[in-house]
Amino acid sequence: MNLSTTLKLGELEVRRLGFGAMRLTGFRPVADRADAIRVARLAVELGVNFIDTADAYGIGANEELLAEALHPYADDVVIATKIGHTRPSPSEWKPVGRPEYLRQAAELSLRRLKVERLDLLQLHRIDPQVPFQDQLGALAQLQAEGKVRHLGLSEVTIEQLEEARQVIEVVSVQNRYNLTDREHDAVLDHCSEQGIAFVPWLPVALGAHATSSRVLSDIAAELDATPMQVSLAWLLHRSPVMVPIPGTKSADHLRENVEAAQLRLSDDQLKRLAEADRT
């Protein structure tokens, strides 16, 4: 398992350790973005070619920052964005899935990212107030118009995924998942069977693993690694369709995360981690 290990997202090939850009921007844009731009560029320099963002991150500022840092994008760099989840305030998230809203949101993402076609567009959340078929129809129309190359979903059940696949081709599912939060084990296993990329968000539980798991700490000591590196390595071993997207504002933490792709876990270590306490 190393950073050269890749996975196909439709026709796109990505390395299996990505970068989550959310933390590069706050709720509102900040005046000095130099450090965030340096971290985004460093991710690509270190070999990461799958970068996750969303229109709700920084109310569009996150997409704009990535464009400032990386545009024109290298041929192998895949920018995945998401629409359909708004953030009215720092503490509020609200799904909005009206077709006209989703189409407008995609157009704005195209503009902010400075591209004519989005590599991967994911429905950030299903809006329970709007028929799911209508939301899927909006995504399908965007793809038919050539504005989106590939489509994905976020925070879905197996049933919702399969319903969506009757309307669109789904190449990725982005659900919350990490060593101590395996609520979506069944969804992950289904994606593995179907060859659909599984993109876990919160893959290291905001660093809580470093202090919450004795097993993780013990194995980290055995490997001369950090607990977060072992946690990421476990995800990569868990399924061949797994594409973790750890995020950080720190260049040092970014390097630490990328180095996790080099870790080899023994069968005994994998067994101990699989049996570790879960929340």
Side-chain angles (χ1 to χ4, degrees), residues 7-45:
L7 175 72
K8 281 281 194 176
L9 289 171
E11 64 195 50
L12 302 172
E13 190 168 9
V14 299
R15 299 184 185 97
R16 285 189 51 224
L17 189 66
F19 175 69
M22 177 180 176
R23 296 180 67 185
L24 295 181
T25 50
F27 175 64
R28 296 185 184 280
V30 294
D32 185 2
R33 306 196 295 182
D35 286 344
I37 287 172
R38 279 193 288 270
V39 170
R41 289 174 176 167
L42 178 61
V44 174
E45 291 168 9

Side-chain angles (χ1 to χ4, degrees), residues 22 30 36 45 48 76 131 142-144 154 239 265:
M22 177 180 176
V30 294
E45 291 168 9
V48 174
D76 68 334
L142 287 164
Q143 189 174 46
S154 181
S239 168
L265 300 178

Side-chain angles (χ1 to χ4, degrees), residues 9 22 28 55 64 69-70 112 127 157 163 174 187 230:
L9 289 171
M22 177 180 176
R28 296 185 184 280
D55 68 341
E64 291 173 346
L70 303 174
R112 287 189 291 259
D127 185 347
T157 64
E163 180 180 351
Q174 186 167 334
V187 179
V230 174

Side-chain angles (χ1 to χ4, degrees), residues 57-186:
Y57 299 164
I59 318 178
N62 204 267
E63 293 176 326
E64 291 173 346
L65 184 141
L66 290 176
E68 183 176 349
L70 303 174
H71 188 273
Y73 307 104
D75 290 341
D76 68 334
V77 170
V78 173
I79 307 293
T81 194
K82 300 182 289 295
I83 58 173
H85 207 198
T86 64
R87 196 176 183 188
S89 74
S91 60
E92 292 179 277
W93 292 86
K94 179 178 175 56
V96 178
R98 298 190 308 276
E100 68 275 15
Y101 177 83
L102 294 176
R103 291 179 50 76
Q104 175 179 280
E107 293 285 357
L108 291 171
S109 290
L110 286 165
R111 181 187 303 178
R112 287 189 291 259
L113 288 168
K114 299 182 180 179
V115 294
E116 295 183 358
R117 181 170 61 171
L118 299 168
D119 291 330
L120 173 60
L121 180 65
Q122 301 168 105
L123 183 62
H124 205 162
R125 290 293 186 277
I126 296 174
D127 185 347
Q129 303 302 316
V130 177
F132 190 24
Q133 293 292 315
D134 291 353
Q135 298 172 67
L136 295 171
L139 299 179
Q141 185 175 352
L142 287 164
Q143 189 174 46
E145 293 172 354
K147 294 173 181 176
V148 175
R149 181 170 292 176
H150 294 299
L151 296 168
L153 303 170
S154 181
E155 284 303 295
V156 292
T157 64
I158 293 174
E159 292 73 24
Q160 290 167 333
L161 169 58
E162 287 307 306
E163 180 180 351
R165 294 179 72 197
Q166 300 302 309
V167 181
I168 61 173
E169 181 182 359
V170 179
V171 305
S172 67
V173 168
Q174 186 167 334
N175 283 13
R176 189 186 68 246
Y177 189 87
N178 56 60
L179 179 66
T180 55
D181 182 353
R182 306 182 210 174
E183 175 186 350
H184 294 295
D185 262 333

